[in-house]
Amino acid sequence: MAEHGSIFGAMLQEFDVAARILNLDPGIWRILTHPKRQIVVSCPVQMDNGEIEVFTGYRVQYNVTLGPAKGGIRYHPDVSLDEVTALAAWMTWKCAIAHIPFGGGKGGVVCDPTRMSRRELEALTRRYVAEIIDAIGPEKDVPAPDVNTDAQVMAWVMDTYSMHVGHTSTAVVTGKPVEMGGSLGRREATGRGVMIVTREAARHLGLAFEGATVAIQGFGNVGSVSADLLARAGTRVVAITDWKGGVYNAKGLDITAMLDYARQHKTIDGFPGGDSISNEDLFAMDVDVLIPAALENQVTADNAGSIRAKILIEAANGPTTPDAHKILHERGVLVVPDILANSGGVTVSYFEWVQDRYGYFWEEREVNERLERKMCEAFDDVVQTSMKYKVDLRTAAYIVAISRVGTVTKMRGMYA
Ligand code: NAD
């Protein structure tokens, strides 16, 4: 059972609300609230100074009822088994809502990659993969990038696994470079999905999408692609912040110029096309759509009352605390939950895995069209469920996920 204050405990709270509404069978309830498998490994690495360090790594396969476990690998000093388990559970629900044949998994290594050389990172990655090698594979568990891991790290994962099994296995991991079995459109997929659900949410509220005003926290992979695609789709992106500062322009920011500026300066702070703003200003802005796309716990009970946006799209994972969510719901703000809003990334990861197994690669147009269809279907399923049960979209998303995983768990029955 999760301890008080744990991230996994927070996931269980959200789960319980939906399970109660569904009147979920107590046995299925018990199964779905326990991780299938938690692996803890020690990874010795010879550092550049000749000393040996031992890093702790985790891989959690939360549920594999619908297919192989799917989820990223995170490198961060704060990684813990509790956090990895919660993230693996959220991946289970995210894949079920996206209606893709994957279960949920997540991995992490306790390390500070900002203080490690490229050679040390490669050595750590290869040793971590070697330690969990029996548990992963295209049919078992398919990792992907997460915080502080990228396409290069995935290339090392793929190579290490391939060397061990004796042949090239591209489908063991997603988020790889396109040259070695990655998918076109994968890099933009999460932001593209965010743009699509924003459009669908506006349509749901009867709000004009074209000309709608948008404020975004974060200008990294997700925030910058979302901003670019939303601007191209005709919305007015008026405010953006990042770790260092923020910019506001009532007429709409020039996102192409901002992308160039961010490439050069590694921040948008000081961008000449608008006035300087803080995160606090951004959250209180009178806009139609607010998109936190940076970190967890950004919308709290302290600032939820000042939010004036009609729609909040959770592009980041866990940006809204449960208390804040309650306040927003009472004030009539439509919150599109993370397990729906940012599922574009895992959906195109699924397309990458399909293409790798098929050995035939799609054009970017085809990837984007299929993503569009998948995101619209997922959004519609969650909205229909919210109307049927008269609940908010987060609870509805859990109801969709729990129903799908629970039904198949029952059909498959118990192997004992
Ligand atoms: P990233 O590291 O590329 O970008 C993070 C951005 O947040 C940067 O612009 C950074 O400056 C900004 N930021 C950091 N601290 C901030 C602060 N205090 N105030 C304002 N901005 C701040 O990360 P990303 O890949 O864009 O991921 C962002 C979020 O989306 C994370 O929660 C991640 O888990 C989630 N997510 C990402 C993907 C994906 O495909 N990359 C998929 C699903 C969910």
Side-chain angles (χ1 to χ4, degrees), residues 131-416:
E131 294 293 344
I132 61 168
I133 207 133
D134 291 337
I136 63 171
E139 303 281 355
K140 294 182 183 173
D141 182 349
V142 185
D146 192 67
V147 175
N148 292 328
T149 58
D150 56 12
Q152 175 60 73
V153 175
M154 297 309 113
W156 292 327
V157 172
M158 189 278 238
D159 184 68
T160 306
Y161 181 82
S162 297
M163 289 300 111
H164 277 253
V165 295
H167 58 90
T168 294
S169 174
T170 51
V172 66
V173 71
T174 60
K176 301 177 292 294
V178 172
E179 296 83 345
M180 49 179 280
S183 176
L184 292 170
R186 171 65 187 91
R187 191 187 67 78
E188 299 85 2
T190 308
R192 183 172 293 279
V194 167
M195 182 273 285
I196 295 167
V197 293
T198 306
R199 189 192 63 213
E200 294 305 299
R203 185 178 298 165
H204 175 64
L205 287 190
L207 195 107
F209 180 60
E210 203 154 321
T213 49
V214 180
I216 303 177
Q217 184 195 34
F219 202 64
N221 177 295
V222 180
S224 68
V225 175
S226 304
D228 190 32
L229 294 177
L230 280 163
R232 285 172 196 272
T235 70
R236 195 148 42 98
V237 182
V238 293
I240 301 183
T241 55
D242 74 3
W243 65 277
K244 201 159 175 219
V247 191
Y248 170 74
N249 185 333
K251 292 196 188 119
L253 294 159
D254 179 347
I255 305 299
T256 308
M258 194 180 247
L259 285 165
D260 275 348
Y261 184 92
R263 252 188 300 272
Q264 280 175 41
H265 298 83
K266 308 279 169 247
T267 173
I268 57 163
D269 190 35
F271 176 68
D275 303 325
S276 169
I277 51 157
S278 66
N279 270 330
E280 210 181 333
D281 301 331
L282 181 109
F283 284 121
M285 213 155 259
D286 189 7
V287 286
D288 296 313
V289 184
L290 176 63
I291 307 183
L295 309 163
E296 62 280 0
N297 295 338
Q298 294 302 293
V299 183
T300 65
D302 292 338
N303 62 5
S306 62
I307 286 177
R308 289 192 278 170
K310 300 174 189 75
I311 299 172
L312 187 141
I313 306 282
E314 291 188 339
N317 279 316
T320 314
T321 65
D323 289 352
H325 188 249
K326 209 179 284 170
I327 296 170
L328 294 174
H329 184 59
E330 281 162 11
R331 295 185 56 234
V333 179
L334 182 74
V335 178
V336 181
D338 46 9
I339 47 178
L340 168 63
N342 66 32
S343 63
V346 76
T347 300
V348 175
S349 271
Y350 163 56
F351 296 161
E352 180 175 333
W353 178 80
V354 169
Q355 292 170 80
D356 286 336
R357 284 159 55 101
Y358 211 53
Y360 179 76
F361 291 85
W362 309 342
E363 289 171 16
E364 189 163 353
R365 182 187 45 80
E366 188 170 357
V367 173
N368 292 344
E369 280 171 10
R370 286 177 188 263
L371 174 64
E372 164 86 29
R373 236 174 294 145
K374 277 280 192 201
M375 293 298 304
C376 289
E377 280 167 18
F379 186 85
D380 202 45
D381 289 345
V382 172
V383 166
Q384 294 301 330
T385 304
S386 91
M387 294 199 290
K388 178 174 171 194
Y389 290 94
K390 298 188 176 31
V391 292
D392 59 80
L393 295 186
R394 189 185 313 283
T395 306
Y398 269 90
I399 289 177
V400 170
I402 294 170
S403 308
R404 287 184 181 158
V405 183
T407 302
V408 178
T409 306
K410 260 196 176 154
M411 282 175 177
R412 289 182 58 161
M414 213 62 52
Y415 179 77

Side-chain angles (χ1 to χ4, degrees), residues 74-80 83 109-115 148:
R74 177 172 291 202
Y75 286 175
H76 197 276
D78 298 337
V79 162
S80 67
E83 180 192 59
V109 179
V110 187
C111 65
D112 184 355
T114 61
R115 305 175 71 153
N148 292 328

